[in-house]
Amino acid sequence: MSRSAWLVGTLAALAAGGAGYGAGHGSVPLPALLDRARTEFALWLPEIAPPAQPSSAPRGPVVYYQDPDGKSVYRLEPTRTPDGRDFRGVHASQDVQFDTDDEDPATADPSEAAAVPADASRRRILYYRNPMGLPDTSPVPKKDSMGMDYLPVYAGEETDPSTVKLSPGKIQRTGVRTATVTRQVVRRPVRVPGTLQLDERRLTVVATRSDAFVDHVANVTTGDRVRKDQPLVSIYSPEINAAAAQLIANPGFDGSRRRLQNLNVPDEVIADMERTRRVPMAITWTAPRDGVVLQRAAIEGMKAAAGDTLFRIGDISVLWVLADVPEYDLGSVKIGQPVTVRVRALPGRTFTGKIGVIYPQVNRDTRTTRVRIELPNPDGMLLPEMYAEVEIATGGDTPVIAVPEDAVIDTGTRQVVLLDKGDGRFAPAEVTLGARGNGAVEIRKGLEAGAQVVTSANFLIDAESNLKAALQSLAAPPAQTAEGTP
């Protein structure tokens, strides 16, 4: 039997016998066996129960006071319970959630420091916030009405009230998408209706400058295409014949030749009179230019007064497109901008031209301004009064900082984009917008190329950011906490 077993058995026997012995002989000392047991117990007690190590003393300042019964009741100042007991002071070393940077390294317990998470030991807790997002903060740890612990807010975390941090799962569920801010050419086509018109500078009329009779009309009518110098009508004019007779009677007299020119007699006819010295009965008028006969008023045998129009001819090699641009798009339209025209009569074909004139007047009723586009028509397929769909390529050729249009949140008074700062953090940035086009919008101020902006679910993030800012504005500011408290 070992000493330990013997000692335990002896102690048990002594306890039983000594009790009876002492009861009958209270004044008689214990026998020598008791003295030997006491001696053996003192020698072998370390084998049975080694002495407990004294606990290390708390270090650091008192950061708060806790209820002496261990309840979740904390105070910043020394306080007593209703029954008069003092709250227990909690030192910095007794709460592993607090920063230990101010602790003396010489007195710090290495095992205790190892128990503290690495990031928690480097960051200082500013305050504790409600776990449900309610506008309630606490300078010390506490629980809400449902028993949930308040969450710590560390220094440097969530410094901007408008910054929102989302978990990866929430980002995936809400469908958040981002895009990179780039430099690109922003062009927005302005699409407006228009009609084709004749170029007013390419219209010509055939008329006499004196009373005359129509002797013969060529086989041309409205809609026919004529060539320059093609015969159109022969007329007899007494006044022209009198001037021709005077020219023949006085050869070399410049006054007679000038009079015929004033009556619009062609130079070829005047030269033929001087060569043949004969006055023709009728003079033939020819087409002054290539074009289309827009009007034929000459009829054989009719009398035409001075100035009456006999033929009206239009050149359609170049046409005008008159388009009505809305007032709100007028600022982006400039003279010389390229234009694409499509006509309903020729599906699948496009014609290109440039803006020649922006008329200096806004229509009072339609709030539009007319612009004029010069459109070449070499094959003559375009005709006056055709309807056209006009597309004006507004914008410049210089790349600018731009983001997708979906990235911009327009509140009416300001424009905002949401920046992706990484690690699920998003923050709003106010921007100044410029031109729009091709699904993008120019950013004149507020962003730099290379930044990441949210293009999808940005309204949900913006709503959460506004809610968070509103809640934090209602919450007690952390500056009201005492010095040295978390």
Side-chain angles (χ1 to χ4, degrees), residues 10 47 56 62 100-102 125 133-134 136 148 204 219 261 324 363 381 409 412 414 433:
T10 303
E47 292 186 1
S56 59
V62 176
T100 58
D101 290 344
D102 297 334
I125 297 178
L134 298 177
D136 182 21
M148 299 176 63
T204 306
N219 187 23
Q261 290 176 341
D324 296 324
N363 188 297
M381 297 297 295
I409 302 175
R414 67 186 189 123
L433 304 183

Side-chain angles (χ1 to χ4, degrees), residues 186-315:
V186 177
R187 288 181 177 176
R188 181 176 64 89
V190 176
R191 297 181 176 90
V192 293
T195 57
L196 274 69
Q197 302 290 337
L198 289 167
D199 188 342
E200 297 172 353
R201 300 166 297 187
R202 297 173 182 269
L203 293 176
T204 306
V205 295
V206 177
T208 64
R209 297 180 181 178
S210 62
D211 293 342
F213 296 90
V214 177
D215 185 60
H216 175 73
V217 180
N219 187 23
V220 292
T221 185
T222 303
D224 290 345
R225 298 177 186 268
V226 295
R227 308 289 297 177
K228 184 178 180 181
D229 297 331
Q230 179 178 338
L232 296 177
V233 61
S234 297
I235 62 172
Y236 165 74
S237 171
E239 187 174 356
I240 292 177
N241 284 6
Q246 186 178 8
L247 175 64
I248 295 172
N250 301 286
F253 181 58
D254 189 62
S256 300
R257 183 181 181 86
R258 180 74 62 177
R259 183 181 178 188
L260 289 173
Q261 290 176 341
N262 292 340
L263 292 173
N264 202 27
V265 177
D267 291 339
E268 299 82 7
V269 176
I270 297 175
D272 187 64
M273 291 179 185
E274 292 177 335
R275 188 181 68 255
T276 62
R277 303 190 60 83
R278 293 181 57 187
V279 178
M281 180 62 66
I283 298 176
T284 300
W285 252 249
T286 60
R289 68 189 315 150
D290 296 343
V292 176
V293 177
L294 304 176
Q295 179 185 1
R296 170 183 163 166
I299 300 175
E300 291 185 0
M302 66 173 288
K303 178 183 178 181
D308 286 350
T309 299
L310 301 179
F311 284 90
R312 185 167 176 262
I313 300 173
D315 184 0

Side-chain angles (χ1 to χ4, degrees), residues 331-356:
S332 59
V333 177
K334 303 291 186 294
I335 294 176
Q337 286 177 333
V339 178
T340 302
V341 179
R342 299 176 179 86
V343 294
R344 300 179 182 178
L346 301 172
R349 291 195 59 181
T350 59
F351 303 86
T352 59
K354 292 184 178 181
I355 294 180

